[in-house]
Amino acid sequence: MGIKPKSPREALQPEQAPAPPQRSRHVRNPIVILINMVISLAVFGLAAVGGALYFGKHMFEQAGPLTEEATIIIPSGSGLTGITDRLAAKGVIDDTMLDEWVFQLGTRFYKSATKLKAGEYAFAPGVSMNDVMTDLVEGKAVTHSVTIPEGWTTAQIIERVREHPILVGEITEVPAEGALLPETYTFARGATRQSVLDQMKASQDKLLAEIWERRVEDLPVETPEDLVILASIVEKETALADERPRVAGVFVNRLNQNMRLQSDPTILYGLYGGQAWLKDRSAIKQSEIDAENNYNTYQINGLPPGPIGNPGRAAMEAVANPSRTKDLFFVADGTGGHIFAETYDQHRANVRKWREIERQRRQTEQN
């Protein structure tokens, strides 16, 4: 039996489309919808956090608002909030809640909130929050200094330390003459006067022990203290570094031959003590030379009972390793140095030359 052909009307009508497949029950499940929403929120949240971290990191590392160098004192126990307030007040960071929040959060992120050190800090223009944090963590505080000239007496050193405007506190223990090492000492704001003196004494003790171990044999000094005494005399006899070993050699030779040292500075110290170097050294009178006191090496044998000042490293090194000469005398040469002699006759001739130089100078001053 044949298939009945479609009528022209039927042939023109489209075939009926199949019904769409039903949506999966899993897709429509509320749990699935909730999971999808949570995942979407998580992705969005991570993106937001990442953006915030990127933005915060950029703010933390970018140049700050400071336009000129600023010095800030961070007291001990300030805490992160207190430090942030001081930085904002000085314009190191912007005085806004956002910038203060970024600084605090960044400092905590680097686990440095409890590592910030007190002190006085100088910040350059444009310093970033990150650099501020680094300086505070590393304690890169502003340092101050006090310089002690070689040969100063302890009384002079005490006066300089007392007058220093940055140091604080009273001096509770005055070191002995010769116990301090003349150098430049640095310290942070808030350091005490006594702590700086203690540092000078510790430096002297350490250096003296090293020099004593390196001394040559057969020196006419029996103890490190004797070395300091002789070095203090050498220090006041010449300001020229290259002369110190030779001056030390003269005194060593005299001690070995039981000759008196006959050093003018010992006269002044015996008369004026710690104020000796504030006096006119050229005005020593014959009566002062003849006057007996424990320090006057024109009148006593050997070393005086103590140092006449605080010698520097070079003077102590010179005594520990003096020049090997036969010199027994020296006198000024008019140029800041000295002329040395092995015999008294040579020395007398040198003294006459020096007196002639002095006479000519006086004439020149009078004219």
Side-chain angles (χ1 to χ4, degrees):
M1 194 171 68
I3 299 175
K4 181 179 180 180
K6 296 180 180 180
S7 65
R9 186 183 185 96
E10 292 174 337
L12 291 174
Q13 289 182 354
E15 295 184 1
Q16 186 176 359
Q22 291 185 344
R23 295 183 66 186
S24 170
R25 289 177 300 170
H26 299 293
V27 175
R28 291 175 295 174
N29 192 307
I31 296 177
V32 174
I33 294 174
L34 179 61
I35 292 174
N36 288 339
M37 183 175 66
V38 169
I39 292 174
S40 298
L41 289 175
V43 171
F44 177 78
L46 288 174
V49 170
L53 288 175
Y54 176 82
F55 176 73
K57 184 175 185 295
H58 177 71
M59 286 188 63
F60 196 69
E61 296 178 349
Q62 71 180 1
L66 196 61
T67 58
E68 59 185 20
E69 184 174 301
T71 300
I72 300 178
I73 299 174
I74 305 296
S76 180
S78 295
L80 181 57
T81 301
I83 292 173
T84 303
D85 291 342
R86 286 180 175 273
L87 294 173
K90 284 287 189 175
V92 178
I93 62 176
D94 278 325
D95 187 14
T96 65
M97 184 177 297
L98 176 60
D99 283 71
E100 293 179 9
W101 179 80
V102 168
F103 178 76
Q104 294 188 39
L105 186 62
T107 301
R108 294 183 188 279
F109 177 81
Y110 285 104
K111 299 181 180 179
S112 298
T114 60
K115 300 178 182 178
L116 307 182
K117 296 178 176 63
E120 180 182 6
Y121 294 86
F123 296 112
V127 63
S128 69
M129 297 183 193
N130 184 64
D131 289 339
V132 170
M133 178 196 70
T134 300
D135 285 354
L136 293 175
V137 169
E138 295 180 358
K140 293 182 178 179
V142 174
T143 57
H144 302 272
S145 65
V146 59
T147 298
I148 306 301
E150 297 172 335
W152 268 26
T153 64
T154 296
Q156 289 177 284
I157 296 173
I158 291 292
E159 186 64 21
R160 172 158 290 188
V161 171
R162 280 201 179 112
E163 291 177 348
H164 200 287
I166 300 298
L167 293 171
V168 300
E170 298 298 324
I171 296 172
T172 57
E173 183 180 350
V174 177
E177 194 73 84
L180 306 177
L181 181 64
E183 277 188 353
T184 295
Y185 294 88
T186 59
F187 49 85
R189 181 180 290 273
T192 66
R193 292 178 172 86
Q194 188 62 53
S195 69
V196 173
L197 287 174
D198 292 343
Q199 184 182 357
M200 295 179 189
K201 186 177 184 305
S203 297
Q204 174 73 333
D205 291 343
K206 182 176 183 294
L207 178 61
L208 179 57
E210 295 173 356
I211 292 175
W212 182 253
E213 289 298 319
R214 298 196 304 267
R215 73 190 187 284
V216 298
E217 296 181 356
D218 301 326
L219 285 177
V221 290
E222 298 179 357
T223 65
E225 291 72 25
D226 287 346
L227 186 147
V228 173
I229 293 173
L230 186 53
S232 70
I233 298 173
V234 172
E235 188 74 76
K236 301 310 296 184
E237 285 286 4
T238 180
L240 301 180
D242 59 349
E243 270 196 355
R244 290 189 181 112
R246 194 165 183 182
V247 170
V250 169
F251 289 135
V252 166
N253 291 341
R254 293 178 76 92
L255 289 172
N256 283 331
Q257 296 185 31
N258 294 318
M259 296 176 64
R260 289 178 175 174
L261 296 182
Q262 296 184 323
S263 170
D264 289 356
T266 63
I267 298 174
L268 289 175
Y269 189 86
L271 292 172
Y272 305 108
Q275 304 303 314
W277 316 134
L278 303 179
K279 306 296 180 179
D280 183 3
R281 287 185 61 181
S282 64
I284 297 178
K285 302 174 183 178
Q286 186 62 46
S287 60
E288 294 173 332
I289 294 176
D290 295 337
E292 293 186 8
N293 65 61
N294 291 337
Y295 284 84
N296 186 346
T297 54
Y298 281 84
Q299 301 299 325
I300 65 171
N301 297 321
L303 296 171
I308 62 172
N310 291 272
R313 175 190 294 267
M316 290 189 288
E317 293 276 12
V319 172
N321 189 16
S323 297
R324 298 291 188 176
T325 69
K326 296 181 180 180
D327 296 331
L328 292 171
F329 307 91
F330 61 87
V331 68
D333 63 3
T335 65
H338 295 83
I339 301 176
F340 295 82
E342 296 182 7
T343 69
Y344 185 58
D345 288 340
Q346 293 172 343
H347 177 61
R348 290 179 63 186
N350 294 334
V351 169
R352 286 194 294 270
K353 293 177 183 178
W354 167 240
R355 288 175 178 169
E356 178 62 23
I357 292 173
E358 286 187 312
R359 186 186 64 80
Q360 293 176 359
R361 284 179 175 177
R362 287 194 296 269
Q363 288 181 346
T364 300
E365 292 174 357
Q366 293 173 356
N367 295 334

